[in-house]
Amino acid sequence: DEQSIPSFSDQEAHETRAYAEEFLARYLPGAGLARLELRVGDPADEIVNLAQEGPVDLLAVGWPHDPERGAVARRILRHSHVPVLLVSL
């Protein structure tokens, strides 16, 4: 929730944009249309809601192959209305 997010800037709007740009440049080089969406809430619910709100063709979700983990991926698979690509971690 919002209370558990660490404060990392005195100018949140500028720092958030800079963080998003750096993240995309580092992990998705060449993906010019990619954007980083930052949300607060239950991860599975927020991802499914985002897919319903906009033109989303596919969700790519990390899958840890561990029975004790992967709860978010399982919930996304159960509730998503768009195809889900599981990426092995």
Side-chain angles (χ1 to χ4, degrees), residues 8-49:
F8 64 91
S9 173
D10 61 347
Q11 295 187 11
E12 184 177 332
H14 299 294
E15 290 294 327
T16 301
R17 185 173 56 246
Y19 172 81
E21 290 171 1
E22 182 178 333
F23 181 91
L24 293 172
R26 181 179 297 168
Y27 297 109
L28 294 170
L33 297 178
R35 76 173 200 261
L36 179 63
E37 179 86 24
L38 301 174
R39 294 191 174 202
V40 174
D42 178 80
D45 290 344
E46 292 299 323
I47 291 167
V48 170
N49 290 341

Side-chain angles (χ1 to χ4, degrees), residues 59-66 69 73 84-89:
L59 292 173
V61 178
W63 184 257
H65 294 287
D66 181 339
R69 300 177 67 205
V84 178
L85 171 68
L86 295 177
V87 180
S88 181
L89 298 177

Side-chain angles (χ1 to χ4, degrees), residues 1-2 53 76:
D1 65 18
E2 292 179 28
E53 291 172 7
I76 292 170

